[in-house]
Each structure stands twice: as structure tokens, then as C-alpha cells.
């Protein structure tokens, strides 16, 4: 298991696990708490669009900070800032100042965190073990995703949102500890050609942003409504999905690293089509929606290793991985915001929520075409 010899990546993956614990106990309830606070479904989707739009607008400010301080301080700062959003979420009561503050803090925190995290993972990872390392991270996250929704559900129902999210904020802050031993990575002042090198990954991430908005955000709202707005039922469904997802993982990375990228892409996107259709059709029946959600956990261990391997490898080979990820994450924001606004508009016009879920299918087709071509060229080379 030579892919585990990279101590820096192991630290990043440990951090990712603690981060996932906080996400599973807190972030999965983002839309739940908004809906419980009286925010409508279209406004909840527009809130998510506002977050990613804020990230997109502020992203150019990150470059001078990264050149001045390097990546490690920004990654730690982003990790700690993410903790601040959880207490704010507990104070939202409809469309109010607390919601505006929550959106602003989340936009800045996610911008600082994800840009530096993805750049770090690209720079520290090994090209020959890229699929394994992404799959190991996702498998670790999947295991923790079994317990974290149950802990979050218990805390919300017994302690209330304020104490529950205060605890989640502490866990989120603890995710910074594994990062302390990482080397600081510098960003060069000038890198001609960095944005041009990101063209393929930019297109992939626009598509991925659209897909994620329909597959995750719209679905989380739909699932919660289908389960009668029950926090307990919703948290149990999330835990069941974590259990299913934990059963998949490292073999996918092995296929990607061993030259089986195209085969993995074909399997992953075929599963994506089936699950999107199943999710859209399951909404009238709560038990079927729970099964659809659990089976949906199979997709990420299948999809993320080839997608991550392509994006991270292209980033490491680019003149500047940081500028590369500035471009690609901007693409994700564009795709996500567009899908959220489209979904909000459709729901406002009276369309059933299954319709924006099905809008993930064009993204599946486009993502498959790009990754199929990428791994084909890789095999030929």
C-alpha cells in the first residue's frame, strides 16, 4: 500500500475525516434548518446560489494573500472560519439579518477553505497514486458519515440547535490540528499559461457544479419534504447512506491508477443516470426515497476518484496549481449557481421538485464525454 507512504497526504486525509464529521453532524442540516425556520424552498435554493456567487466575486482577492502568506495559513484560517457558520445557522428565523450574516460568513469561509484545500491536495499528492489517495479520502469520509448524522440528529432533538451547532463548531475547529504539521506551500507571483492549462478542468467543474446542485442540494430538500419534515427520519436516512457508501472505495482508485480510467468513468456515469432517475421517481413514496438516498452513496466512491484524479493531476502539471484552482472552482460556482437559480425558478412556477433533480442528467452526459476523452488520451500517451 505504497500510496499510504505520503505523510502529508495522510495528514490532509485525517483532516478531511474530522471535517467530514462536522459536515455530517451539521452541514447536512443546512437546508433542513432553513426550511424549519420558515424559508421557502425557492429562497433556500437562492440562498445557496448567493453563497457561491459571493465566493466567485471574492476569489480574485485570494491571489495576493496566497502570494504573501502561502497556502497553509489560509487553509487553517478557512477551516476555523467554517466553524463560525454553525452558531449563525441556529439563529436564523426566516429571511433576516442572521441569514444574511450566515450567507456572508459561509461564502468567505468556503472560498478560503476549498481553494487552498484543493490546491494543497493537488500539490502534495502523487500522480501515480492519485486515484488511490482520493479513494482513501472518500472511504474515510464515508465511514465517518455513518455516525455523524446520528450524532447531529440526537443533538438537535435533545439539546436544540444552539447547543448542537456549538458542538459541531468545536469539532470543525479541531479539524485544523492535523494541518499544523504540513509544510507551507508558496504561490509564485507570476505564472503565464496557468489559466489556459485549466480549460478542461474548468469545463469539468462547471458541469460538476450543476450536477452537485441537482444531485445534492435539491435532493436534500426533496428528501426532507418527502419524509414529512422529520429531522429524525432525515438523519437516519443520511446515516444509512453513509453505511452503504463505506462499503465501496479503494478498488475504484486502484482501477484509475492501473489504467482503468475509462472503465471506471463508464461505470460511474451509468450508475449516476440510474440513481438520478430513481431519486426523481421515488419522491411520492418515503421508503423508496430512503432507499434511493442510500443507493446514492454508491456514486461518490465511483465518481470522485476519476474526476479527482483528472483535476488534481492537471493542476499539479500546470504552471501554478493555485491559479488553476481559482479558475476551476470559479467554474464550479458558475454551474452550481446556475442550477440553483434554475431550480428555484422551476419550483416557484409550480414544477414538482423532481424536475430540477432530473436536470442532473445533462450534466451526467457532458461529464462522461469529457472524462472519457481525457482518459482515452491518457491511455494513448
Amino acid at each position: 500500500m505504497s500510496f499510504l507512504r505520503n505523510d502529508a497526504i495522510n495528514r490532509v486525509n485525517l483532516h478531511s475525516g474530522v471535517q467530514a464529521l462536522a459536515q455530517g453532524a451539521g452541514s447536512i442540516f443546512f437546508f433542513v434548518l432553513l426550511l424549519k425556520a420558515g424559508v421557502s424552498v425557492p429562497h433556500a435554493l437562492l440562498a445557496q446560489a448567493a453563497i457561491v456567487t459571493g465566493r466567485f466575486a471574492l476569489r480574485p482577492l485570494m491571489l495576493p494573500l496566497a502570494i504573501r502568506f502561502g497556502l497553509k495559513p489560509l487553509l487553517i484560517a478557512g477551516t476555523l472560519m467554517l466553524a463560525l457558520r454553525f452558531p449563525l445557522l441556529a439563529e436564523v428565523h426566516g429571511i433576516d439579518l442572521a441569514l444574511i450574516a450566515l450567507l456572508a460568513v459561509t461564502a468567505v469561509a468556503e472560498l478560503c477553505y476549498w481553494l487552498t484545500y484543493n490546491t494543497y491536495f493537488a500539490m502534495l499528492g502523487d500522480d501515480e497514486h492519485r486515484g488511490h489517495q482520493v479513494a482513501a479520502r472518500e472511504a474515510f469520509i464515508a465511514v465517518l458519515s455513518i455516525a455523524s448524522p446520528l450524532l447531529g440528529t440526537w443533538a438537535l432533538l435533545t439539546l436544540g440547535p444552539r447547543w448542537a451547532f456549538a458542538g459541531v463548531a468545536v469539532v470543525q475547529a479541531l479539524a485544523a490540528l492535523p494541518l499544523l504539521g504540513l509544510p507551507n506551500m508558496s504561490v509564485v507571483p507570476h505564472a503565464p499559461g496557468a489559466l489556459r492549462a485549466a480549460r478542461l478542468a474548468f469545463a469539468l467543474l462547471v458541469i460538476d457544479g450543476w450536477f452537485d446542485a441537482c444531485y445534492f442540494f435539491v435532493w436534500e430538500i426533496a428528501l426532507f419534504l418527502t419524509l414529512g419534515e422529520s429531522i429524525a427520519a432525515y438523519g437516519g436516512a443520511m446515516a444509512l447512506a453513509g453505511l452503504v457508501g463505506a462499503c465501496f472505495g479503494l478498488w475504484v482508485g486502484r482501477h484509475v491508477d492501473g489504467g482503468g480510467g475509462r472503465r471506471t468513468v463508464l461505470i460511474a456515469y451509468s450508475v449516476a443516470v440510474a440513481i438520478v432517475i430513481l431519486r426523481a421517481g421515488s419522491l411520492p413514496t418515503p421508503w423508496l426515497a430512503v432507499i434511493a438516498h442510500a443507493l446514492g452513496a454508491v456514486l461518490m466512491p465511483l465518481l470522485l476518484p476519476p474526476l479527482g484524479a483528472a483535476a488534481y493531476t492537471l493542476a499539479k502539471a500546470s504552471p501554478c496549481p493555485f491559479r488553476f484552482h481559482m479558475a476551476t472552482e470559479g467554474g464550479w460556482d458558475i454551474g452550481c449557481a446556475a442550477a440553483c437559480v434554475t431550480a428555484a425558478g422551476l419550483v416557484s412556477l409550480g414544477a414538482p421538485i423532481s424536475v430540477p433533480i432530473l436536470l442532473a442528467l445533462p450534466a451526467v452526459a457532458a461529464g462522461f464525454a469529457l472524462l472519457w476523452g481525457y482518459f482515452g488520451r491518457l491511455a494513448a500517451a
Side-chain angles (χ1 to χ4, degrees):
M1 300 179 75
S2 56
F3 67 95
L4 293 177
R5 295 173 184 167
N6 188 325
D7 179 67
I9 283 293
N10 292 340
R11 286 177 176 272
V12 174
N13 282 348
L14 176 59
H15 155 81
S16 300
V18 182
Q19 164 90 353
L21 190 60
Q23 302 306 300
S27 293
I28 63 167
F29 296 101
F30 175 80
F31 291 114
V32 169
L33 266 290
L34 291 188
L35 295 176
K36 283 288 189 182
V39 178
S40 68
V41 171
H43 284 139
L45 290 168
L46 291 177
Q48 179 61 44
I51 290 172
V52 296
T53 301
R55 290 179 3 178
F56 183 85
L58 295 173
R59 187 166 282 107
L61 301 178
M62 293 296 296
L63 182 57
L65 292 175
I67 294 173
R68 172 67 178 82
F69 298 106
L71 297 184
K72 180 178 174 180
L74 297 181
L75 180 57
I76 293 174
T79 301
L80 296 176
M81 283 192 291
L82 283 173
L84 298 177
R85 64 181 173 166
F86 294 112
L88 287 171
L89 180 57
E91 302 302 324
V92 173
H93 301 286
I95 301 177
D96 55 11
L97 290 178
L99 177 60
I100 295 172
L102 171 65
L103 301 183
V105 168
T106 302
V108 175
E110 288 188 351
L111 167 61
C112 189
Y113 177 78
W114 287 112
L115 179 55
T116 49
Y117 174 89
N118 285 319
T119 305
Y120 239 117
F121 204 95
M123 295 176 73
L124 295 175
D126 307 303
D127 288 346
E128 68 274 18
H129 299 308
R130 189 76 67 181
H132 271 102
Q133 288 165 351
V134 174
R137 179 187 68 188
E138 296 307 313
F140 188 29
I141 290 173
V143 170
L144 292 173
S145 296
I146 301 171
S148 55
L150 297 178
L151 291 172
T153 300
W154 173 84
L156 281 172
L157 295 178
T158 57
L159 303 177
R162 285 182 176 175
W163 283 105
F165 286 119
V168 173
V170 172
V171 175
Q172 173 64 43
L174 291 175
L177 293 179
L179 303 175
L180 299 179
L182 289 176
N184 194 10
M185 309 293 285
S186 62
V187 175
V188 295
H190 304 285
L195 297 181
R196 185 168 59 253
R199 286 179 297 181
L200 172 60
F202 175 83
L204 279 170
L205 268 292
V206 171
I207 294 165
D208 189 54
W210 180 284
F211 176 81
D212 286 353
C214 301
Y215 188 82
F216 290 112
F217 301 148
V218 177
W219 170 252
E220 287 174 7
I221 293 173
L223 179 64
F224 181 61
L225 296 176
T226 296
L227 297 177
E229 300 187 37
S230 168
I231 292 177
Y234 178 83
M238 291 292 173
L240 177 61
L243 178 62
V244 174
C247 298
F248 294 84
L250 291 179
W251 72 272
V252 180
R254 177 170 55 84
H255 278 290
V256 174
D257 293 335
R262 273 193 160 186
R263 181 168 58 251
T264 305
V265 167
L266 179 60
I267 294 171
Y269 282 92
S270 298
V271 170
V273 170
I275 292 176
V276 168
I277 295 173
L278 175 61
R279 284 185 168 185
S282 71
L283 294 179
T285 311
W287 66 265
L288 185 58
V290 171
I291 293 176
H293 182 69
L295 292 177
V298 174
L299 181 59
M300 287 303 103
L302 290 170
L303 182 57
L304 287 179
L307 179 61
Y312 289 135
T313 300
L314 289 169
K316 190 171 184 177
S318 72
C320 176
F322 187 81
R323 290 174 174 83
F324 179 98
H325 281 291
M326 285 183 65
T328 58
E329 291 192 22
W332 192 94
D333 290 343
I334 292 171
C336 180
C340 285
V341 170
T342 301
L346 289 170
V347 174
S348 296
L349 292 173
I353 200 166
S354 58
V355 173
I357 291 173
L358 289 172
L359 289 180
L361 291 177
V364 172
F368 171 80
L370 286 180
L371 281 177
W372 183 265
Y374 168 78
F375 283 108
R377 292 189 296 274
L378 197 64

